[in-house]
Amino acid sequence: MKTHFILLLIGAIVACCASAHAVQDNDSLDPTALRCEYLEEPVGVDSRLPRFSWRVESHRRGASQSAWQVRVARSSEALRRGKAELWDSGRTAGNDTNQIEYQGMALKSGMECFWQVRVWDEKGNVSKWSEPARWAMGLLNEQDWKAQWISCEDDASYHKDRSKLHLPAPRHYRKDFTTKREVKRAVVYASALGVYDLYLNGERVGDAYLQPGWSDYKKRAYYRTHEVTEWVRSKGKNAIGAVVADGWYSGYVGYGLLVGYGPDKVGRYFYGKTPAFLAQLEIEYTDGSRELVVTDESWRVTDGGPTRESDIIMGEAYDARMELGEWALPGYKAKDWERAVLASRNPRIDTVYTDRAGRKPVNLGFEKPPVMQSYMAPPIVATEELPARSVSEPEKGVFVFDLGQNFAGIVRLKVKGERGTRIRLRFGEMLKENGMVMTENLRRARVTDFYTLKGDPEGEVWSPRFTYHGFQYVELTGLDVKPELDAITGIVLHNDTPLTGEFECSDPVLTQFGKNAQWTQRANFLEVPTDCPQRDERLGWMGDAQAYIRTASYNADVASFFTKWIDDVEESQLSFGAYPDYAPYPMAHGGSGKSFGSGWTDAGIICPWTIWKVYGDTRMLEEHWDSMTRFMEWRYASTAVNGLGTSLGNPWGDWLNVGEKTPIEFIDTCYHAMVLDMMEEMSLALGRRLEAETYRERGEKVAKAFEAAYLNEDGTLKVDTQTAYVLGLSVGLILEDLRSEAAMHLAGKIEKNGFRMATGFLGTRSLLPALSEHGQHELATRLFQSREYPSWGYEVVNGATSVWERWDSYTKEFGFNGANGKQNAGMNSFSHYAFGAVMEWAYRTLAGIDTIGPGYRHVLIHPRIPGSESNPDNEVVDWVKARYDSINGPIRSDWKVEDGMLRMNVEIPANTKATIVLPSKDVSQIKEGGALVRLGEHFHSIDSEGDVTRLLVGAGTYVFELPFTR
Ligand code: RAM
């Protein structure tokens, strides 16, 4: 007996020791996907306390992390030796895998850092150390910048004739330099007032477009960090160069030309006249010495290169006969080039600037951006190529290529021909009946590229660099013979936010719509979340962004993209506290003191709140808290006496609704209540209890005012529009016990309207969620499946590959002139994501993937399966497959109704738990993996309530089966 006990004890000790060692079998929990500030191996990090994240992966059910340890060193070798001179967190209990702040030695400018992580699982087994990941710091202090802003010498006046386009050639800059020793590391920090491409020793550095990005250059400029160690030759001759175009700095922006904004109303020069460039190459030699090559007056500049015109909106013109040869290689004789000047040497240009807010004096001369900020979002790159599907010749010599998809980007032109032949490319989203490209909706955007051949017998290949278009069709003229199909290839450009969502269901129209929404997001996540990519607009419209952001987060990992844009939003905040109509905000849309709109201005709260919800990011909230507080104070102070909303700002309201106008005061009341709720929630998350209390009290006041002003005793509203009900329900302003009445009334209104929506941007976003939440799920599904105007399906059955701006952007009866034949074809984008916001409902409600609390730590799987009556017009949806790659890993919810059974496949990522809600109250009928569901190892709680059963589970994959009749 005694020996037996001792043996047992020894056994236990051995087992215990073994478990303290790294587990390597299939059961282990392994850290992967290491990221810093949401990016893989970023360079130019300018946060002094960067945040880490990783994922843990395991094949085991219920796998979770109980502790973690991060080590940071100056080299990966040091880590391998177990040395962490910058930071060793030590074993830290907890299951956090993201938003983990660096807490080590002070990080310095330019520093290279290497980190790794190991984790302990729920049983105390420790993983191996992850492979080291790297990041590099940016320039943290103003004094780190030794480079000076340079420019060409420019004392010419600016373009003042609004009737003519002015499209100056980009400038080439260059400088030779010699390295004296063996190069260990070389990094360029670069920025431009304008947009730039960097070159080293003959090659373009990196694959990003439109660098450094758009900001209010008078307040702040982005810079990029390029690691160029590979490019720089040791102990030898080198050359650095750049091409710099106007970009957003001095080129055409938005609808400025159309409406006559800017200096002399010419629609350009929103920040200044002459582009400038800034670059600092830091070379570290193997002997530890350092050398800098910086922009200064020793650089040369020319505007004589092949690109003759270049503008983001208007297009690019390239004359291959003017190519500069090896201008970016060392030793190039820059004969006709001029000496660059310090940008500050160019004269001030005092003039008057006009926009809706009035006239104000401005200086178009150089002003040094007071703040340099690293660009910490995925760059704009070519993410895909689209070969042409067909080419037609609707008129003699006019060749029209169809790329099969509406997208944003550029084309690659491949041609052979005589020297001096000039090719013109025009772009459009749709074709007219005669087969010609439709360009009316481009308004004043020229959207035309030109290419002049040098006559290379081998053929010539060209793509523009500093423009982009929104299109599906390309019109090529200038060739006598019909070109081959491969003369045109589409190049898809956007900020490279990784795609995270997949949605498919038994109704192919909905599946296609989901794809269209994803494409439209890609077409518009270009530097800022734009409204549209084709016409002279392309602005970061706030109303569109707030309506769509949650859908955006299902489609792609948008954490860093929005982190960057919300900085732009704060920067654009108006002096009195409101957030403006779009960000950046180069021109005022509303009159003085009125440049905001209900629902649009609230994006400054809704967007950070959403990013916090989806990614658990509290730092963003902290960083913008002062700004958000200022906004809330303004919002509260500008309510009407009793807390009701006002109509002080821009009058868009439920923009592009179909014949039902909801008063702005009503909308304003609802949005105020919405952001008060969000602020209360965020205050609590940040431990700001007093503020939470204030927002709660204000929220109550607004709710009472709403009740008194708008709510009838029977749950109907005094404002009788679909959108009024949608907002009242979704914001929770309609008293709880009246909500189902109100939803029934809403349903009745929709029915009376022929089962058609009447909602615009604001109402549509929450229409289906409000219906589904309040007992009208069948109707919600029916609307989503509708193919009748106005509906999402109407677009799809009319051939859409993207989401349209208006429900009637195109109609069978009136083509591009809308439902009544009287629409303005110019205000008609075929790539506008706002109405695509319904995809949030597709993921959250139909597929049922959601988060309980912030950051998908506790996943909710609650698919709402439409009943058999849900659709008299179309086949009832009987299966859905959805996948969402959350910050913690992939979540899947697939369901199918078949032969009286519901089958569901669910995947929950390691280190999270999930509540799975199944549509049956009878637990004894629910099987998982072939066995009845039982409280125990896999199901931590089982509750039946109403018509559903809730199961609390850990990570893993689950296959459910239960009888189900609709
Ligand atoms: C339009 C934009 C945008 C909308 C505003 C009100 O010009 O396209 O989508 O938010 O106006």
Side-chain angles (χ1 to χ4, degrees), residues 672-889:
H672 189 200
M674 181 193 300
V675 293
L676 281 166
D677 276 356
M678 290 175 171
M679 286 302 282
E680 182 191 343
E681 213 184 336
M682 292 187 283
S683 301
L684 290 173
L686 299 183
R688 296 169 176 268
R689 302 202 146 269
L690 283 178
E691 285 159 84
E693 189 50 28
T694 307
Y695 291 123
R696 197 189 54 76
E697 280 166 13
R698 289 180 185 181
E700 266 172 19
K701 181 172 166 194
V702 173
K704 287 223 171 72
F706 177 92
E707 194 188 325
Y710 298 119
L711 191 61
N712 297 321
E713 273 172 15
D714 61 353
T716 58
L717 291 174
K718 296 207 168 82
V719 174
D720 195 27
T721 63
Q722 293 182 14
T723 291
Y725 282 92
V726 170
L727 293 180
L729 285 167
S730 59
V731 182
L733 286 172
I734 294 175
L735 299 179
E736 211 164 338
D737 51 352
L738 295 177
R739 284 183 198 158
S740 62
E741 295 291 317
M744 266 162 63
H745 193 76
L746 169 61
K749 283 179 66 61
I750 294 171
E751 187 176 342
K752 252 197 237 133
N753 200 34
F755 291 98
R756 286 179 163 89
M757 297 177 280
T759 50
F761 274 23
L762 304 185
T764 303
R765 185 258 164 114
S766 300
L767 172 64
L768 303 198
L771 288 170
S772 294
E773 266 331 292
H774 299 102
Q776 302 295 332
H777 183 56
E778 313 294 274
L779 177 58
T781 318
R782 178 174 183 169
L783 291 177
F784 194 30
Q785 282 191 278
S786 170
R787 276 85 155 136
E788 303 296 319
Y789 162 80
S791 72
W792 299 277
Y794 183 74
E795 303 180 7
V796 174
V797 297
N798 279 290
T801 61
S802 50
V803 182
W804 300 346
E805 176 174 23
R806 295 194 316 237
W807 293 120
D808 59 349
S809 280
Y810 171 87
T811 59
K812 280 179 220 134
E813 298 75 22
F814 298 104
F816 305 122
N817 294 320
N820 54 10
K822 294 191 191 113
Q823 287 287 23
N824 165 10
M827 187 68 183
N828 190 5
S829 144
F830 289 88
S831 186
H832 234 79
Y833 54 62
F835 284 142
V838 68
M839 287 311 292
E840 170 183 343
W841 177 87
Y843 281 102
R844 256 178 116 169
T845 307
L846 199 56
I849 299 175
D850 203 353
T851 175
I852 297 176
Y856 286 91
R857 308 271 301 247
H858 184 167
V859 175
L860 175 65
I861 301 289
H862 185 187
R864 256 53 62 94
I865 292 142
S868 57
E869 302 292 298
S870 65
N871 211 320
D873 308 322
N874 295 293
E875 298 236 334
V876 175
V877 174
D878 56 18
W879 61 263
V880 166
K881 284 186 184 174
R883 185 178 190 273
Y884 168 57
D885 205 8
S886 77
I887 189 161
N888 299 313

Side-chain angles (χ1 to χ4, degrees), residues 531-532 535 537 541 543-544 600 652 655 761 805 827 832:
D531 55 332
C532 55
R535 68 174 176 234
E537 191 134 0
W541 278 97
D544 311 37
W600 272 250
W652 305 308
W655 182 241
F761 274 23
E805 176 174 23
M827 187 68 183
H832 234 79

Side-chain angles (χ1 to χ4, degrees), residues 611-630:
I611 295 299
W612 165 61
K613 275 272 145 153
V614 174
Y615 303 103
D617 190 334
T618 46
R619 180 181 289 182
M620 168 180 290
L621 307 186
E622 293 281 10
E623 282 188 350
H624 296 285
W625 198 254
D626 288 350
S627 157
M628 295 200 284
T629 306
R630 242 181 309 130

